Amino acid sequence: MRIVMQPAGLARKVVNRHFQDTIVKPVKFDEHTDLLEPGVREELKRLFPDGTAPMWGVMPGKRNVNVAKVRKMQPGDWVFFTGEKKIYFGGTVALMWRNRELAKRLWKADDDGSTWEYMYALSGVRAFDVPMDEVRELLDWKRNRHVMGFIVLSDSESDTLQSLLTLDPANAAITPLDPGTEQAAVDAFDGELERKAQRAARGEQAALKRRLLPGTTGECALCGRELPGTFLIGAHIKKRSMCTDTEKRDLANIAMLACVFGCDALYEHGYVAVAPGGDIQTSPLANDVPEVAAYIQEKLASRTVTWWNEEREPYYDWHRMHTFKAGLPT
C-alpha cells in the first residue's frame, strides 16, 4: 500500500468547486450511464451499493508527466489532499479508470483542453487538519519542499507517514491478499521479535494501569462507568508512536482509562474526540454505522470528560487533528 499526495488547495475557486461537486457531494452513477463503461459501472456498483462515490481525477500533465505516476497507484492506496500548508482530506482508492468524456462533464476542461481524465473513486473518506511542517519533519524533507504536483510516495515514505495519519480500513474497499502471499508473509515473520514487542507492550500497559487504576475498579474516562479493572485499559490520548520520548514518560497525562466495551475503539478510530474543556465531540461519520451511533447516543452524548485538563489538552488536540473523523470542508 502506497500513499499518494494530491495537491488541491481549496483557496482556488475552481478546485473548491470541484471538491464540493464530486467529493462533498458524491457522484451518482446512474446520472452518467451514457459515459461510464459497463465494466466500470458494474464494479462501482459492487463497491458502492448505494450508487454514489466521491471521485477525483488527475490530468496527464505536460508531456504526460503524470501518467507514469498514476500507473504506480492501485486500489487500496491512500490519497491525501493538500492545500493551505496542511493535509485536509484523505481516502482510500477503491477503483481507477480513464474516461476523458466523463471528466469533462464533471470538471470541464482546462484552458489548453486538458482534463482530469485519470479518474479514481474513494472510500473511507475523512477530514484532516495536519500541518505540512509535521509531514516534512517526519519524512525528513527539506523545509522548503512543497507538494506542487501529484506525487506517489516511496514505500518507505508511505510506511513512515502511516504512523502519523489514520484511515479506517473498516470503511475502505480493500483488495484481499493472495493466500499464497499471505502465508509467505506469515512464514517469514520473526516470531522472537513479535514476542519481544508483545512483552514490551504488556509491560507499558501494566505501568499505565498501575498509575491510572490504584484499586480494583476504575472509571472509564469517556462513558464514566465504574468498572472492574479487567474491563479497562490505559489508552494513549495521543498515538504512542508519535509521542516524543518526553511525552512517553509523561504517564500522568499521556493516557486515560477507557473501557473495552466500546469507548476505547471509538476513540482509537476517531468516532469520538474530547474538545477543549472536556465535552465529547461526535464524528458525523458515526451515523454511517448505526451500532456506533446508538452506542454514542446511549453512553456518550452530552458527556463532559472530567479527565480533561490544561496539561492533557495538547494530547487531546493531537487526537482531534490527526485521528478524529471531522466533517468534510465546505
Side-chain angles (χ1 to χ4, degrees):
M1 187 273 287
R2 282 190 166 182
I3 287 178
V4 176
M5 304 293 276
Q6 175 77 70
L10 296 181
R12 294 179 57 200
K13 290 183 179 180
V14 64
V15 174
N16 198 321
R17 184 171 65 250
H18 292 173
F19 189 83
Q20 299 300 321
D21 289 346
T22 63
I23 295 288
V24 176
K25 181 182 178 183
V27 176
K28 296 180 180 179
F29 313 146
D30 288 346
E31 293 181 354
H32 307 285
T33 53
D34 57 323
L35 296 182
L36 276 169
E37 295 179 0
V40 173
R41 185 172 67 248
E42 292 308 309
E43 186 64 6
L44 283 170
K45 288 184 176 181
R46 184 185 73 82
L47 293 168
F48 302 93
D50 69 349
T52 70
M55 292 184 186
W56 203 253
V58 180
M59 285 186 173
K62 292 182 179 179
R63 299 181 181 177
N64 292 325
V65 67
N66 288 331
V67 176
K69 301 175 187 177
V70 170
R71 288 173 179 163
K72 294 179 181 179
M73 291 174 61
Q74 59 183 356
D77 286 349
W78 291 0
V79 179
F80 293 107
F81 285 35
T82 67
E84 288 70 61
K85 301 180 180 180
K86 66 181 180 180
I87 290 176
Y88 67 87
F89 171 78
T92 301
V93 177
L95 188 67
M96 301 168 54
W97 69 98
R98 185 182 183 185
N99 191 322
R100 178 176 172 80
E101 294 308 311
L102 178 58
K104 287 172 64 177
R105 174 181 289 176
L106 294 176
W107 304 303
K108 305 190 184 300
D110 215 349
D111 292 339
D112 63 359
S114 299
T115 191
W116 296 263
E117 60 196 77
Y118 290 92
M119 301 180 63
Y120 55 88
L122 290 168
S123 63
V125 298
R126 54 157 297 199
F128 287 89
D129 187 14
V130 179
M132 283 303 298
D133 282 344
E134 282 192 48
V135 175
R136 280 189 284 269
E137 182 177 357
L138 187 66
L139 299 181
D140 200 25
W141 286 359
K142 294 181 179 179
R143 292 185 60 83
N144 61 351
R145 179 173 176 179
H146 299 282
V147 181
M148 301 302 293
F150 172 85
I151 58 173
V152 181
L153 300 186
S154 67
D155 289 340
S156 60
E157 288 178 323
S158 297
D159 290 344
T160 300
L161 196 54
Q162 285 181 59
S163 66
L164 178 68
L165 303 167
T166 302
L167 284 170
D168 189 353
N171 290 335
I174 299 175
T175 303
L177 269 180
D178 172 74
T181 303
E182 185 175 31
Q183 186 59 49
V186 171
D187 293 341
F189 190 80
D190 187 334
E192 181 57 28
L193 286 178
E194 181 184 34
R195 284 189 289 275
K196 288 180 179 178
Q198 289 174 342
R199 285 196 295 269
R202 285 196 295 267
E204 183 186 36
Q205 178 60 210
L208 285 175
K209 285 192 71 170
R210 278 196 298 271
R211 177 175 286 272
L212 299 172
L213 187 69
T216 58
T217 65
E219 181 181 293
C220 173
L222 297 174
C223 68
R225 288 178 289 183
E226 185 76 17
L227 296 166
T230 304
F231 302 111
L232 296 164
I233 66 170
H236 280 84
I237 298 171
K238 174 181 177 180
K239 189 183 293 188
R240 186 187 185 281
S241 62
M242 296 310 302
C243 290
T244 65
D245 288 342
T246 300
E247 289 173 337
K248 289 174 184 176
R249 289 190 289 269
D250 185 15
L251 298 183
N253 296 306
I254 191 58
M256 62 183 176
L257 286 176
C259 72
V260 298
F261 297 124
C263 290
D264 175 59
L266 292 180
Y267 185 85
E268 178 71 18
H269 290 283
Y271 285 104
V272 295
V274 178
D279 289 345
I280 288 183
Q281 289 180 272
T282 301
S283 166
L285 299 187
N287 292 326
D288 296 338
V289 189
E291 294 82 1
V292 169
Y295 181 94
I296 292 173
Q297 180 60 37
E298 180 182 353
K299 305 296 185 185
L300 302 176
S302 303
R303 272 193 52 77
T304 298
V305 174
T306 57
W307 188 249
W308 180 92
N309 61 28
E310 293 290 347
E311 289 73 25
R312 296 174 186 130
E313 168 55 21
Y315 301 127
Y316 283 118
D317 181 61
W318 192 96
H319 176 269
R320 291 194 300 271
M321 291 178 63
H322 297 80
T323 304
F324 180 60
K325 293 176 169 64
L328 299 186
T330 57

